[in-house]
Amino acid sequence: MSQGDKMERGQESITMIPRGDVREEGKKLPQYIAAITATLGAVAIGTVLGWSSSASPFLKGEITNVTSTIDPPLSVDESARVESFVAIGAIMGALPAGYFADLLGRKTLIAALTLPFLLSWIMILLAKVAWLLYVARILAGIATGATCTVVPMYISEIAELSIRGTLGAYFQLMITLGIFYAYVYGYLVRFAVLNILCALIPIAGFFMFMFVPESPKYLLMRQKKQSAEKSLRWLRGNKYNIKQEIETLQNEIAKSSRTKVSFKDLVATKVAFKSVNIALGLMVFQQLSGVNAVIFNMNAIFMASGSTIEPAICSIIIGAIQVIVTFFSSILIDKAGRKILLLISLGVSTLSLGVLGYYFHLKNSGEDVSGIGFIPLICLILFIVVFSLGLGPIPWMMSGEILAAEIKGLASSLATALNWTLTFVVTRSYAPMEKTLGTDVTFWLFACICAIGFVFVVLIVPETKGKTVDQVQQLLAGKKPARKNGLV
């Protein structure tokens, strides 16, 4: 134990609670500031994802008035690797992220992830051969996968119950903002400038994150009670009585520290098995909806559709709508509830992808679709809107809400790894599926998966709005949750 730790433990007995007017709930603004600052890492993820659609024409030599640094230009297969290798890196980054978050701290790990993000953009900027792009994208993927694990963890540990859903949804909101950023600047600036602008995001995040505190829960795990109290006062305000929340966190930590978790513990009880199935199932339907195949290939889909609107402009329009809808989703999540938004998302996704498939079926059959060239834009806007409303943010949030404390670290890493494994499968197989099955059947397949997801949510997924983790566990066990005040 370090000398600092000893001093803090020795001072625990003299920690005072302020007298006078205290609040049952803390100030919200500091929590919003901490969450927004932490999710700048999600903006960095968005630029990594949105970059593919903007950069692909440059890398494949399709823009003739701009000289690419890659010589010769990438083939279709090489371009697909550049897109999908992010997912391989994300799997590599997700699996150990929970361990390193406990070893180094949430704040330290989030700050450290600036380095792989930054290095990947420097390598892309300097790359003259395809293999260097592959390495850069895997490196970006490692940072992406780790960020997807540790940032939602940090937010869930700093947020009060009343705004947990809203702050949790900011992660997906900031991803959409990063995608939009990459779409806009991919259209406005040269390839080299696009890479530089993307590199600025993690740098800005690093310096801004220095001013927010470490997770109070992590500090208590490290026996730093005085630092945890200081962090909680920063997050909740000086008039908030932190005693009850500190005690709740200490009880959670004591409970989880008594249990050494292995993979068999994820299925050891009915409740654990059900919660893990829900967390993994939502990730499956999120990715098998085909969303990343759409995002990575937005321009190509519009070009194939024969739409009269410029593909890059269509991508920017959809990117802007995605940001706006995800913002409103972050407000609705704590008002309407998680389950109803998931059902709307999956139901409308089924319809929009089905109609899009039918449009390509008509086009491929030789029908004149010039009079309905707006259909692909409408369908993709509708798909992205409802995805951003529910299927985008809620699976990440519910992983934190539905998993018990003792299995949360392992199960969250597993869910993130599964998410990115499926991202790789979908993005890598999209072009072969389109070539073998046809664009129409490919989108119909995505529509069928969304329909199955709708049934999954109806039958298995509980409503977690306004419930603590303990209350959710009681719900999964088939018991009526006891009403209690307090925090997660």
Side-chain angles (χ1 to χ4, degrees), residues 165 168-170 172-173 176 286 291 321-349 381-398:
Y170 279 9
Q172 182 68 23
L173 172 63
T176 64
Q286 184 196 68
V291 64
I321 292 171
Q322 189 177 17
V323 173
I324 294 167
V325 174
T326 307
F327 172 74
F328 283 109
S329 172
S330 70
I331 298 171
L332 285 173
I333 278 173
D334 277 327
K335 297 183 183 297
R338 285 66 157 147
K339 186 166 184 172
I340 185 63
L341 293 180
L342 280 172
L343 290 173
I344 292 171
S345 185
L346 286 160
V348 179
S349 291
I381 285 176
L382 195 58
F383 172 61
I384 292 298
V385 162
V386 295
F387 180 88
S388 303
L389 189 68
L391 200 54
I394 292 177
W396 294 108
M397 183 193 315
M398 288 195 77

Side-chain angles (χ1 to χ4, degrees), residues 42 45-46 48-49 83-95 117 137 140-149 171-172 175 179 283-284 286-287 292 296 396 412-428:
I45 292 173
V48 170
L49 299 179
E83 293 172 359
S84 60
F85 278 10
V86 169
I88 293 178
I91 298 165
M92 297 164 59
L95 288 173
F117 273 126
R137 294 291 279 174
I142 291 171
T144 292
T147 300
C148 284
T149 300
F171 185 74
Q172 182 68 23
I175 289 178
I179 292 170
M283 293 300 186
V284 167
Q286 184 196 68
Q287 287 307 317
N292 278 316
F296 282 22
W396 294 108
S412 294
S413 291
L414 185 62
T416 303
L418 174 63
N419 185 286
W420 285 103
T421 300
L422 293 174
T423 300
F424 174 76
V425 170
V426 171
T427 55
R428 196 73 181 92

Side-chain angles (χ1 to χ4, degrees), residues 78-237:
E78 287 173 328
S79 179
R81 289 189 200 125
V82 169
E83 293 172 359
S84 60
F85 278 10
V86 169
I88 293 178
I91 298 165
M92 297 164 59
L95 288 173
Y99 169 79
F100 283 110
D102 286 342
L103 179 69
L104 303 174
R106 285 66 162 135
K107 180 177 178 179
T108 301
L109 181 57
I110 291 170
L113 290 171
T114 302
L115 184 60
F117 273 126
L118 185 57
L119 285 177
S120 71
W121 291 118
I122 293 172
M123 291 171 70
I124 289 172
L125 190 62
L126 301 177
K128 298 185 182 298
V129 290
W131 69 262
L132 194 56
L133 283 178
Y134 301 159
V135 174
R137 294 291 279 174
I138 289 173
L139 195 59
I142 291 171
T144 292
T147 300
C148 284
T149 300
V150 70
V151 170
M153 183 188 299
Y154 175 81
I155 292 174
S156 71
E157 291 177 356
I158 66 164
E160 285 182 289
L161 185 61
S162 59
I163 57 170
R164 185 183 62 194
T166 297
L167 297 189
Y170 279 9
F171 185 74
Q172 182 68 23
L173 172 63
M174 294 303 226
I175 289 178
T176 64
L177 190 62
I179 292 170
F180 178 63
Y181 180 93
Y183 283 169
V184 170
Y185 284 109
Y187 178 71
L188 294 177
V189 302
R190 291 176 174 268
F191 178 67
V193 178
L194 171 64
N195 297 323
I196 293 170
L197 291 173
C198 288
L200 293 178
I201 299 296
I203 295 173
F206 174 83
F207 286 107
M208 291 178 68
F209 198 56
M210 292 298 100
F211 296 98
V212 301
E214 176 59 274
S215 154
K217 185 172 184 177
Y218 170 77
L219 292 169
L220 287 173
M221 287 168 60
R222 291 296 179 187
Q223 305 294 324
K224 297 181 177 181
K225 185 177 180 182
Q226 190 178 41
S227 293
E229 290 175 343
K230 182 179 178 182
S231 171
L232 210 51
R233 290 205 186 283
W234 192 98
L235 292 163
R236 306 287 190 263

Side-chain angles (χ1 to χ4, degrees), residues 309-320:
I309 306 173
E310 188 178 349
I313 297 297
C314 290
S315 297
I316 291 171
I317 292 170
I318 289 178

